Amino acid sequence: MIDYANLFIKSIFIENMIFAYFLGMCSYLAMSKTIKTSVGLGFAVIFVLTITVPLNFLIDKYLLKEGALSWVGPKYAELNLDFLSFIMFIAVIASMVQLVEMIVEKFAPALYGALGIFLPLIAVNCAILGGSLFMQIKNFSGITESAIYGFSSGIGWLLAIVAIAAIREKIAYSNVPAPLKGLGITFIITGLMAFGFMSFMGIKL
Amino acid sequence: MSNTNRTLLSDPMDDNNPITVQVLGICSALAITVQLKAALVMSISVMAVMAASNVIISMLRDLIPNRIRIIVQLVVVASLVALVDQVLRAYAYDVSKELSIFIGLIITNCIVMGRLEAFALGNGVWRSFLDGIGNAAGYGFILILVAFFRELLGSGNLLGYQVIPDFVYEMGYENNGLMLLSPMALITVGIIIWIQRSRNRKLIEN
């Protein structure tokens, strides 16, 4: 249990997708002009990460890894389909996003109204593919662990985008040097926030 | 080479730079700018993927049904990236280890998809090829610039070789360890944007 809690805290604060690895920076910069849209996008990212990371974990474990196909038969045991992982992961992500979009539209129209426009955008958000690729490197032992990793990385991403959106709403009224307006100051603020998040480093439960 | 083709190459270097003006492709780009070597390899990989994918999509542009074009583009890009990844693992294993997941993330690098959508789907093969090269060069230029300053100021090296002479250290100069931390990549890009927009005032946002 304590391991799960550790992983949870670590993925939110210490290995934050935005501040430590710069994943999903494009949508982070483009969609953070108002708090409302950033919250919508953040929840969509949590949602999709929580689904795709465990799914890709299963695919990696039972199809792609070296020796993963041994459940099919002994002569498949030495196959290593690792080189297919990029294509498999991105195909799973793209189709899952499509599927989730259809399901949400059918069964939860209100949620669709809130998330709808963001879901297609997410298929090409680096944070989603990054989550799956990190999952592959980190060698998680089980599906619960990978699900927790996906969920908490999503929360970290949401925190980051909502925080920057709030700052950007305020900074619109400040007197920023003209060449720094917009993009430049956002970069510098993100850098300063990343310094702040570094203070979480080393926290362990 | 005609004038319009030349602007395809020169425009992304300044007026229409992928990172500082179009704001595409920042994902994953900055994490590998601690060392110049990794940034160079990354830029070359992105250039190969962009030029090839632009050419392929431009050749197929009349055959791809509009509704499924994103999936087709993703598959083309993902296969090219897998190819680049295998080549790097075979010929430059240590760099490939260092870049870890960031080679894979070229697939979702918005600059690749962005140029496919905005340019390759509507233009001929040769022009798309030039556009791919030009945008990858503009992207690589910023990446290499950031990595240059981070490696020079952070560890006193360039491409792994010491460039700041010993007597400077003896006079009391210290490497700035702060430059090696990831937040400094963001701040360096912020400063580059500042300098670029002070020189090129039509880029200033309102």
Side-chain angles (χ1 to χ4, degrees), chain B residues 120-166:
Chain B
L121 276 176
N123 285 283
V125 174
W126 175 238
R127 280 169 60 82
S128 302
F129 175 74
L130 291 178
D131 183 73
I133 295 279
N135 274 287
Y139 165 93
F141 175 62
I142 300 291
L143 218 59
I144 288 167
L145 204 61
V146 175
F148 176 81
F149 284 113
R150 283 184 79 189
E151 192 175 353
L152 181 68
L153 300 176
S155 50
N157 296 347
L158 280 180
L159 287 169
Y161 299 103
Q162 190 181 347
V163 285
I164 294 180
D166 283 328

Side-chain angles (χ1 to χ4, degrees), chain A residues 19 22-23 25-26 29 82-83 86-87 124 126 129-130 134 137 178-183 187 190-191 194-195 198, chain B residues 20 23 25-28 30-31 78 85-86 89 101 104-105 107-108 110 181-183 186 189 193-194 197-198 204-205:
Chain A
F19 297 132
F22 314 106
L23 296 182
M25 281 300 274
C26 302
L29 291 169
D82 207 28
F83 64 93
F86 294 159
I87 297 182
V124 288
C126 340
L129 183 64
F134 270 126
I137 288 185
L180 263 181
K181 260 186 194 147
L183 191 59
F187 265 111
T190 311
F195 274 127
M198 288 185 77
Chain B
T20 61
V23 207
I26 300 150
C27 350
S28 78
L30 300 173
D85 183 48
Q86 296 295 319
R89 274 195 216 180
I101 72 157
L105 286 174
I107 301 172
T108 47
C110 348
L181 302 176
S182 54
L186 292 163
V189 174
I193 291 173
W194 191 358
R197 291 190 182 180
S198 318
I204 292 174
E205 291 169 44

Side-chain angles (χ1 to χ4, degrees), chain B residues 37 41 86-98:
Chain B
K37 194 175 168 198
V41 172
Q86 296 295 319
V87 170
L88 279 183
R89 274 195 216 180
Y91 294 105
Y93 188 71
D94 45 330
V95 183
S96 138
K97 266 269 158 297
E98 202 176 305

